[in-house]
Amino acid sequence: MSHCKVPALIQAQVEMGSVEQKSLFRKEEEDKQTKAASLMEQGSLSPRFHEHTAKSPKNSVLRSIKIVILSNKLNMLLPFGPLAILVHYMIDSKGWVFLLSLIGITPLAERLGYATEQLAFYTGPTVGGLLNATFGNVTELIISIFALKNGMIRVVQLTLLGSILSNMLLVLGCAFFCGGLVFYQKDQVFDKGIAVVNSGLLLMAVMGILFPAVLHYTHSEVHAGSSEMALSRFSSCIMLIAYAAYLFFQLKSQSNSYTPLEEETNQKEEACDEDEDPEISKWEAIIWLSILTAWVSLLSGYLVDAIEGASVSWNIPIAFISVILLPIVGNAAEHAGAIMFAMKDKLDLSLGVAIGSSIQISMFVVPFCVVIGWMMGEQMDLNFQLFETAMLFITVIVVAFFLQEGTSNYFKGLMLILCYLIVAASFFVHEDPHEDAL
């Protein structure tokens, strides 16, 4: 009997060891999934990004066109782009050119996000984060560069301001509202720590934009006319350094500390949703990024040229067009993504899309435009004027108060949407005193 027990004991120990190895392997896999999810939620990586090695599909030219162009219903708006160019040369109606260009750029902005997601399959976390930071708001960046080239500094400032306000109030508000309606019996939960860090970065952006305006309106410049510009350029360089440090901190140093509590209970569901392969190859994604960027650049030129004519023909202030209408185009993809994630009870992802995009614009695109204007010899600064700066400051404070509890519901979403309507109405009746700079 004792001889029979020994093999049984050995077999039990072997089985126990195999179970422990399996549990350790499962724990490592879960840690990888959690880390990828935490990076995506910060807006640094695409929701479709994975750390596993992606299998590159081999598509023909026609199949690639079918996947990128014909697979999305929003691409039915693509013909409006060429139509805008035809109207420009045949009728030269600025109002129609502006409207058609605005509609034509909308699907291009969404496809740029898609191509960036596909390219992120083949890159590491750091490169993926930088890609998302660069191409996530490339539409606003291209429009701003064209406006800078035409000397329309106020259009640049107002467009970027409008994009920040739209993301913080309209996009986040719609996400909270739609998610709250789907899960009306409970408060949806998101990571409070991430929200606090994001709110701090937005307040730092407000600081960079506020101080040049205060310096201007208090008439306390050491060198009149030049101190304000010097402060704006110095602050822009500091903000770019801070944003680079934020990316490094997020992607390298403290990525594990950004793991939301909700992911622990939803890991299996998240893994199933995210377990997919790229639809196009790496070089296809690069080629499509180049084509879409060139097409956006072309339409942006016609769009910017038609802004003043559209303002006159529609009898709408240029400030309203720049702050309200133009950002709707660039934020179309963010709108859809944030609402979709909220309706799936993934508030951390919605927060990363909406607030993450606001951080990218305020901490990266705005100071980058100041530096580009510096190189082009344009007097682009961070003085967004008193009315616009106060609007931004109050908006950041309101959003920070809504995020401090770490919960959301449809009522909070409704309040944010109503706040955006107040902002829109304010700019509709606001006459910009610096309209000559437009």
Side-chain angles (χ1 to χ4, degrees):
M1 294 293 292
S2 61
H3 294 287
C4 295
K5 288 181 180 180
V6 174
L9 181 60
I10 295 175
Q11 183 178 0
Q13 291 177 347
V14 170
E15 290 177 353
M16 185 179 299
S18 63
V19 169
E20 290 177 354
Q21 290 178 352
K22 289 180 181 179
S23 62
L24 287 173
F25 177 75
R26 188 181 299 111
K27 184 177 180 181
E28 290 177 358
E29 290 296 318
E30 290 177 352
D31 290 341
K32 290 181 180 179
Q33 293 174 1
T34 305
K35 184 177 180 181
S38 66
L39 291 173
M40 287 188 295
E41 285 152 8
Q42 287 300 298
S44 298
L45 299 183
S46 152
R48 301 185 181 195
F49 178 82
H50 309 289
E51 293 187 312
H52 67 270
T53 303
K55 297 180 181 179
S56 179
K58 296 181 179 180
N59 298 320
S60 62
V61 176
L62 291 177
R63 177 165 176 78
S64 181
I65 294 174
K66 181 180 179 181
I67 292 172
V68 178
I69 303 298
L70 303 179
S71 63
N72 194 340
K73 294 180 180 179
L74 190 63
N75 290 342
M76 294 174 63
L77 303 177
L78 284 174
F80 284 93
L83 187 60
I85 299 176
L86 287 176
V87 170
H88 173 78
Y89 288 106
M90 295 178 64
I91 304 176
D92 196 23
S93 173
K94 297 295 185 183
W96 280 107
V97 171
F98 177 82
L99 179 62
L100 294 173
S101 301
L102 197 68
I103 297 174
I105 289 178
T106 304
L108 296 176
E110 191 276 333
R111 288 290 88 183
L112 274 171
Y114 170 80
T116 306
E117 290 175 359
Q118 295 298 307
L119 185 58
F121 276 103
Y122 306 98
T123 62
T126 304
V127 178
L130 293 175
L131 279 174
N132 190 60
T134 304
F135 288 98
N137 295 292
V138 72
T139 306
E140 292 93 334
L141 190 58
I142 292 173
I143 293 175
S144 300
I145 291 175
F146 270 92
L148 273 177
K149 186 179 178 181
N150 293 349
M152 305 169 73
I153 295 173
R154 285 297 287 162
V155 168
V156 177
Q157 293 177 331
L158 294 173
T159 301
L160 296 179
L161 173 70
S163 188
I164 298 171
L165 297 177
S166 174
N167 276 301
M168 285 196 294
L169 294 177
L170 185 61
V171 176
L172 187 63
C174 289
F176 281 1
F177 183 73
C178 294
L181 289 181
V182 174
F183 301 95
Y184 66 93
Q185 295 180 342
K186 66 168 187 174
D187 280 352
Q188 292 181 286
V189 181
F190 54 86
D191 195 307
K192 190 189 300 184
I194 297 175
V196 169
V197 172
N198 290 342
S199 300
L201 283 168
L202 289 172
L203 285 171
M204 181 180 178
V206 170
M207 179 188 297
I209 294 173
L210 177 65
F211 287 172
V214 172
L215 186 68
H216 174 79
Y217 283 99
T218 55
H219 305 287
S220 56
E221 297 176 83
V222 175
H223 303 286
S226 61
S227 295
E228 177 187 335
M229 184 62 63
L231 176 61
S232 296
R233 289 168 176 172
F234 177 79
S235 298
S236 297
C237 295
I238 296 298
M239 290 164 72
L240 288 173
I241 293 173
Y243 185 74
Y246 165 66
L247 284 181
F248 180 82
F249 173 82
Q250 174 186 342
L251 297 172
K252 290 288 186 181
S253 300
Q254 298 292 330
S255 58
N256 288 331
S257 66
Y258 282 81
T259 305
L261 298 176
E262 289 298 304
E263 290 296 324
E264 295 180 2
T265 57
N266 296 331
Q267 272 185 355
K268 292 184 179 180
E269 180 182 352
E270 291 282 335
C272 294
D273 291 341
E274 295 166 8
D275 189 18
E276 56 186 62
D277 290 321
E279 297 178 349
I280 57 178
S281 67
K282 179 174 69 174
W283 286 108
E284 285 178 87
I286 293 173
I287 292 171
W288 278 114
L289 272 177
S290 303
I291 294 173
L292 293 170
T293 302
W295 187 231
V296 168
S297 302
L298 180 64
L299 283 183
S300 296
Y302 292 98
L303 181 72
V304 171
D305 289 337
I307 287 178
E308 294 183 19
S311 174
V312 173
S313 61
W314 294 351
N315 195 24
I316 296 177
I318 295 181
F320 181 83
I321 292 176
S322 301
V323 175
I324 304 302
L325 296 184
L326 287 181
I328 291 177
V329 174
N331 295 336
E334 282 92 341
H335 257 111
I339 292 174
M340 177 188 69
F341 290 134
M343 294 179 70
K344 293 181 178 179
D345 201 17
K346 301 175 183 177
L347 258 294
D348 288 290
L349 291 176
S350 295
L351 207 65
V353 169
I355 303 300
S357 183
S358 297
I359 292 173
Q360 287 175 9
I361 295 171
S362 59
M363 296 291 291
F364 173 71
V365 179
V366 171
F368 183 74
C369 285
V370 173
V371 174
I372 291 295
W374 189 4
M375 295 177 180
M376 296 169 61
E378 297 290 343
Q379 299 296 305
M380 170 73 182
D381 58 16
L382 293 178
N383 180 12
F384 280 35
Q385 306 305 322
L386 190 60
F387 181 83
E388 291 80 2
T389 305
M391 194 77 68
L392 177 62
F393 178 71
I394 296 299
T395 298
V396 171
I397 295 298
V398 169
V399 173
F401 269 102
F402 274 101
L403 297 180
Q404 66 178 348
E405 293 181 351
T407 61
S408 74
N409 49 55
Y410 70 90
F411 177 73
K412 288 185 177 180
L414 180 61
M415 291 300 102
L416 290 175
I417 295 172
L418 294 179
C419 287
Y420 185 75
L421 293 179
I422 294 175
V423 170
S426 300
F427 278 101
F428 189 79
V429 298
H430 172 61
E431 182 179 0
D432 189 37
H434 298 267
E435 200 159 313
D436 292 337
L438 291 167

